[in-house]
Amino acid sequence: MLNQQDKNSTIDRNETVVELAEFNLIQQFFTRSAQRKATRLSIGDDCALLAIPEGYELAITTDTMVENIHFFPDVSPEDLGHKLLAVNLSDLASMGADPVAITLALTMPNVDSAWLKAFAGGMFTLADQYQLDLIGGDTTSGPLTLSIQALGLVPKDQALRRSAAKVGDLIYVTGCFGDAGLGLKIKQGYIGQGIQQAMERFNRPEPRIKEGLAIRSLANACIDISDGLAADLGHILSSSNVGAKLDYAQIPMSQAVITYMQLTGDWRMPLTAGEDYELCFTIVPENVSKLNVACTCIGVVEESRGLRLIRDGKTSNFNISGFEHFL
Ligand code: ADP
Ligand code: MG
């Protein structure tokens, strides 16, 4: 689709040039043969067609990244392609969905072939890990804004919802917390140890698809941690009408994050910083022995609303802004 602005400001001949550029760039960078049987019709028509197997539901999510708001202008286009897809797949992972296809909406100030090639390379390298088909999208001119819509399959009624946590469930997380937050601090000038690993986590998060699929039949509620552990666990708690107690000492953290906290005193960072893209799920204790993924128990779901944190032998209320008062 062309911008209204393009249409108003260009004569017919120029519009054709713009359309040709759009057509060529889609052909050149984004059109590949379909990998999935479910893909009945891919790029090239007004809509793509996707077959949904009997007994499955389609899980659908979209995430948008805007230059200067969600990413720095100096980010490498490969990393950007990876991250844009990863944050969308992370949403599918948290529902226990199996990713099948994506659409891509690109808004760019100009057509830069080298940038597009690198961006597509980063995106497709991750897409290929899951045999994902890019089945359509939109290309338009404007400030750099990138959106992916990701589509996944989940057996009927089996998607992991935020609202299904039960009192007595144990709270588990995959991976460790604070590295992406540390990556952001490094971009903002913090100098310390473990810089490379933190920047890697910040620039190239890995969606926990395998883990989401493995816990689907065992967990009650699940969410992916995009806005910070406390805030996102808070979404599970409020949609499930429950509260929780977390044991700070159990929250997995890298040595780089521990060193950062020792140097700065900022112990809240792993709880409040975003973009780790790990999963946080609740599970009945009886199912824990069946878990077959690397994960850590950090707390328990309780009837009393709110989030409580045990730290250095004291229990305090913790709200997502980091404010606390002792009980
Ligand atoms: P329309 O004007 O009918 O919306 P477009 O001219 O925008 O169609 O797009 C032509 C085809 O190219 C469509 O199949 C569309 O899904 C696909 N497409 C457009 N932009 C992208 C993109 N950035 N990535 C993948 N497919 C795209
Ligand atoms: Mg059309």
Side-chain angles (χ1 to χ4, degrees), residues 162 223-237 320:
R162 296 177 179 188
I223 194 165
D224 69 314
I225 308 301
S226 51
D227 296 336
L229 179 56
D232 287 321
L233 173 60
H235 294 314
I236 288 187
L237 303 180
I320 55 169

Side-chain angles (χ1 to χ4, degrees), residues 12-326:
D12 280 352
R13 204 165 60 88
N14 280 352
E15 191 170 312
T16 310
V17 171
V18 175
E19 267 180 359
L20 199 64
E22 181 188 3
F23 178 76
N24 279 341
L25 81 85
I26 296 163
Q27 279 286 322
Q28 200 176 339
F29 299 111
F30 298 114
T31 307
R32 308 178 341 150
S33 50
Q35 307 194 53
R36 291 264 184 166
K37 277 210 303 281
T39 304
R40 296 295 168 83
L41 185 63
S42 191
I43 291 174
D45 213 316
D46 289 317
C47 292
L49 296 173
L50 201 63
I52 304 174
E54 188 72 32
Y56 283 80
E57 290 171 331
L58 198 58
I60 305 163
T61 183
T62 303
D63 258 307
T64 297
M65 294 174 67
V66 180
E67 187 175 38
N68 291 314
I69 295 178
H70 301 100
F71 59 91
F72 293 100
D74 66 351
V75 66
S76 92
E78 286 98 337
D79 286 350
L80 197 55
H82 173 99
K83 187 165 178 176
L84 178 67
L85 179 53
V87 303
N88 277 279
L89 296 186
S90 177
D91 282 328
L92 292 183
S94 79
M95 303 291 286
D98 188 13
V100 290
I102 53 173
T103 62
L104 170 69
L106 279 180
T107 303
M108 304 172 292
N110 59 310
V111 175
D112 176 342
S113 292
W115 188 95
L116 279 164
K117 184 164 186 253
F119 171 82
M123 183 184 70
F124 281 127
T125 302
L126 179 59
D128 287 346
Q129 284 183 33
Y130 302 99
Q131 292 82 50
L132 291 183
D133 289 330
L134 173 62
I135 58 172
D138 194 22
T139 307
T140 181
S141 67
L144 190 59
T145 304
L146 312 158
S147 287
I148 279 182
Q149 179 185 54
L151 307 155
L153 291 171
V154 61
K156 195 169 176 299
D157 296 326
Q158 284 187 31
L160 294 168
R161 300 175 186 211
R162 296 177 179 188
S163 55
K166 298 280 179 300
V167 173
D169 280 0
L170 297 173
I171 300 170
Y172 274 77
V173 290
T174 62
C176 55
F177 285 81
D179 289 291
L182 186 60
L184 179 60
K185 302 268 179 210
I186 292 162
K187 283 296 288 179
Q188 292 165 341
Y190 169 79
I191 299 165
Q193 293 171 2
I195 283 184
Q196 214 171 333
Q197 182 199 330
M199 286 315 299
E200 181 76 9
R201 289 285 310 268
F202 178 68
N203 285 324
R204 301 182 68 85
E206 280 305 324
R208 302 300 182 198
I209 294 290
K210 182 168 54 71
E211 291 80 356
L213 294 174
I215 65 171
R216 185 171 67 204
S217 59
L218 302 172
N220 278 337
C222 185
I223 194 165
D224 69 314
I225 308 301
S226 51
D227 296 336
L229 179 56
D232 287 321
L233 173 60
H235 294 314
I236 288 187
L237 303 180
S238 54
S239 11
S240 302
N241 292 313
V242 292
K245 189 188 287 165
L246 291 189
D247 184 351
Y248 185 82
Q250 300 307 314
I251 298 171
M253 296 169 198
S254 68
Q255 189 52 52
V257 167
I258 292 168
T259 304
Y260 162 83
M261 294 191 301
Q262 283 164 349
L263 289 173
T264 62
D266 185 9
W267 61 268
R268 293 178 185 81
M269 193 273 275
L271 282 164
T272 55
E275 301 210 290
D276 283 316
Y277 295 103
E278 296 294 347
L279 297 184
C280 175
F281 59 95
T282 82
I283 180 168
V284 285
E286 301 89 274
N287 278 351
V288 165
S289 63
K290 298 178 206 150
L291 280 174
N292 196 16
V293 286
C295 54
T296 311
C297 183
I298 60 167
V300 62
V301 176
E302 298 178 331
E303 197 171 342
S304 170
R305 301 288 299 265
L307 184 59
R308 288 160 291 284
L309 188 68
I310 308 169
R311 184 172 164 268
D312 294 339
K314 297 186 201 97
T315 303
S316 55
N317 284 324
F318 189 91
N319 78 18
I320 55 169
S321 59
F323 172 81
E324 77 218 278
H325 65 83
F326 291 103

